[in-house]
Amino acid sequence: MEKLKLLLVVFFIGFSINSWSQKTQVTGEVTDQNKLSIPGVNVVIKGSKVGVSTDINGKYQINANTGDVLVFSYAGLQTIEVAYKGGATLNVSMKEENEQLKEVVVIGYGKVKRADVTGSVSSIKAEQIEQSNKVDAISAIQGQAAGVVVQRTDNKPGSGGFNIRIRGASTINSNATAASGGFNPGQNPLFIVDGIFVDDISFLNPADISRMDILKDASATAVYGSRGSNGVVIIETKRGKKGDLKIEYSNYVGFKQAYHMPDIWNGAEYVDFLKDVVVGNEFVKTNGNLDYRASDVVLSNYLDAEELQNVADGVSTDWVGLMLKNGLQTNHTLNLSGGTDATVYGLGLAYTKDEGTIEGEDFNRFNIRGSLKSDLSKWLNLSVSNYITSAIQNTGSWEAFRSAYRLKPIGRAYNDDGSLRFFPTTKETQITNPLFEADNQTRETRFLQYIGDIALQIKPAEGFTFTTKFSPNIKYSRYGEYRGLYSKDVVGQPTLRTATVNNANYFSYSWDNIFNYKFTKGNHAIDAIGVISRFMERKEGYNNTVKNFTTDAFEFYNLDAGLNITNVASDFSKQTLESYTGRINYGFMDKYLLTVTGRYDGSSMLSAKNKWAFFPSAAFAWKMMDENFMQKQNVLSNAKLRLSYGQTGNNGQGGGLAPLASESLLGASATNIGDSAISTAYLTGLANENLTWEKTTELNFGFDFGFLNNKITGSIDVYNRKNTNIIFFTPIPLVTGFSGTFNNVGESTNKGIELGLNTVNIDKGDFKWTTNFNFSSNKNNLDKLYGGQSEIIFNVQGTNLIHKVGESIGSVYDYEAAGIWQLDQVAEAASFGQRPGQVRVTDVNGDGKITPLDRKIIGQVTPKWTGGITSTMNYKNFDFSFFVNISQGNMYKSNFHSNFTWAWQDTPTRTFNGYNVDYWTPENQSNDWHQPGNGGTYASALYYKDVSFVKVGYITLGYKIPAPVLEKLKIASLRVYGTVQNPFVFSKYDGWDPENAGRDQFGAAFMSRTFMTGLNLSF
């Protein structure tokens, strides 16, 4: 009986289990966000081949077990997964897919979907780059990405002069040259073009770029270790695409003109100014005598007979106007691509011409691009890419620009017979007619650059790949300069004719061996990568200068023709970097994402015992929208939280450290013993065996969001970046026999916020309007200087700067202008040793006198915040777009104001022309500018200017030719457009260009706007 009972229990348990495992028929309806039924939706039980599709009414039915996961997918809509918990009905609502989340992002040695990015990465697509129609690739970045500040430092065609700062200044560097646009702390990011490390990207044709991905936080950049401390810009050029041969051609052509030009005096105004200069000088000599006025000035004491006659004849020469011309700007790009499932190819040809607005300035660039990718077998893939650039840059005369501003307008440019006059007046002996410069001064740079990439990828087993990749970068450049007989430098003296030739050879390579393993099982996904990498860089240069030529015919092509050799020099440097990298991307349920990275770098730049360092990072992301509780709300259509922490390094290049600069080296010299010259050697610097890695540690919190069914999408990031062991060249007293040594000197912090926002403002019928907006603000602080120091004061390009603990790195440090001393302040001015008409500065410490202790921090050279706005409207076949770039809150000592308000004002017989401003006179007690000839000790305080600006980058109107017309012409697509580049600038700064206000006027160029038209054609 007991056995029978047991048998019945087992039977009913088995029956129950069998009953529980039976599938239930589930029915339901699939709708969109507007509650409309969606036919054709695929409904699949995850992990099986069981699936159905919704009918015309959006209905479906499928057999499922409790606990099964149903996957709903449809093109253009977000794929959703729903766990079946029992019941006969399961209705779901699907939302539009966010195309941005499907986008693939390059993160270094790999790619991931935008939705799976754990770090802070900004991307710029080919469409954005092409829309901007820029000659140089860096300009295409400007204002397009939050946290990325791009400052143009040179307006010469083809100059490539830019400072790029990602999340502020991480280190300090007091080195600057005229071409650098003045001081800007920090360093440019690492550029990687098709896997190749390059110092700049001016050689690229922007139309050849398929995308740029900018890695900003330590987690994103950690895979590049010490190379990524200032951020990383990864650039991919266009490659071939599978399919029939596709031919694409694009071009633009237009003309550029100078604008935003300060007003200077004409002939009559100059004479009045000269009189006021004389009065100002007399005012100083007589200690404030107001009886001597402009009407008392005798011009013949300051102008010769010819100049007086010119004044009487009403001569007024516009030297700047005579120099100006419209410059041609054009680009032509041809792309071919195609291929099969096994092999794809791509080819590109491009030509760019960019002329300046002064004769003799132009840039010509030729680009050839080729790529091939082929599956040689199921387990072996070969890819090859090549990019070649040949360019010629002519910067013209570096004297013509400033000479045109200096020359008196009462001089003549032409003789009576129409020929050019060398000196504008018989009295002038130094500043020559700038119209001679184009034919008498040549500055030409030619370079040929090749970057290549050859990679073999082996797939030894399922999920495993091994790639070995060799990427060389070869560049040859030659700079040639000749100053002819009638140039300003030679002033008609044959012995001063000068020719200079500088040759430079550059070679570097990266050799990467990449191991990759991808594994997916159930809710787990792993993407692991290991990299063994070696980088080598080798530079050599040869410089020669010769003077005293008997003819200008040879220019710099025949140095033997010069009679005096004034310089023969050469240089060589080499550095290597070896790296071992590991990264693991782990995903759980495709909504919890973890990235862990470590890189071990060894640099030849540092001292022997400190060459190696390890740089770790970790990042976590939570795709909140995939949680069940988020399906019940209608506010957010996308939500992902990101948190990262990591460390990167700097081997000293940012602080000016060069190969072997940390060592004590011997330099050659000579001395006299008796009547004999004896060769000697000396130590050029002090070695620092303790010099170690500069390290940056960063914490980043980010939130990616979408509202209103992704009509509004974007991301916000908040970061804290700490920099330690800053490498800096520390001067020591010259009596020691050494100039100084490199040390680890301090610590700094960058804190900031970044916001990127994309909005679909209108999307109805034939009209769509979208806007992209970005904003970033960075607060920089020098936290500590080692060795008990609290500040380092220095001067760059005439600007007084300070690295002060508790303040921003490289703050502007000088006297603060407080207006002009007026006639009713005679006694107060005298107590400070000054007089009316002179510049008044703030007595900071209130001790009743002005001393160096009254200097203060009056500004910063980096902007407090930046932003960019791109807006695009499409109506039927028409498109209209514009871009605005914003930079606010920074200051420079303006080189324009330093030199043209007013040179030689203390020597009326030589007084140059000057900036037409409202200056102080006894009859016109202005508070803006001091009295000419009476600026006082602190006149330069007026030269510090707020250089904030809002620039309209471009305005474009385009039209796509209708398809029926194109079909008859057998053309795939054709768009024609017109655009104006840099049409407007809004700024308080009244010099040439607020972006490079600190740049030396020697070799400078005007800001310009370009009017152009172009087309995009494909077959």
Side-chain angles (χ1 to χ4, degrees), residues 458-491:
I458 302 171
K459 301 177 182 178
E462 183 68 26
F464 283 94
T465 60
F466 168 70
T467 305
T468 183
K469 187 162 70 78
F470 184 75
S471 307
N473 178 11
I474 305 169
K475 182 176 180 179
Y476 165 76
S477 64
R478 188 271 292 149
Y479 170 75
E481 178 183 324
Y482 183 73
R483 304 182 186 189
L485 186 63
Y486 294 106
S487 66
K488 191 264 182 185
D489 299 277
V490 177
V491 290

Side-chain angles (χ1 to χ4, degrees), residues 17 23 69 83 164 206 256 354 362 425 457 478-479 491 501 552 558 580 690 762 811 914 945 1004:
I17 293 173
K23 293 181 181 297
V69 176
I164 305 98
K256 61 196 297 188
D354 184 20
D362 62 69
T425 67
Q457 186 179 82
R478 188 271 292 149
Y479 170 75
V491 290
V501 176
D552 289 331
N558 186 1
Y580 301 90
N690 296 315
I762 299 175
S811 297
K945 298 292 181 181

Side-chain angles (χ1 to χ4, degrees), residues 584-601:
I584 297 177
N585 290 323
Y586 170 71
F588 179 66
M589 298 179 66
D590 195 31
K591 57 184 176 183
Y592 307 109
L593 309 173
L594 176 66
T595 300
V596 179
T597 306
R599 176 155 167 153
Y600 191 51
D601 273 346

Side-chain angles (χ1 to χ4, degrees), residues 41 377 632 739:
V41 175
S377 68
K632 300 177 182 179
S739 58

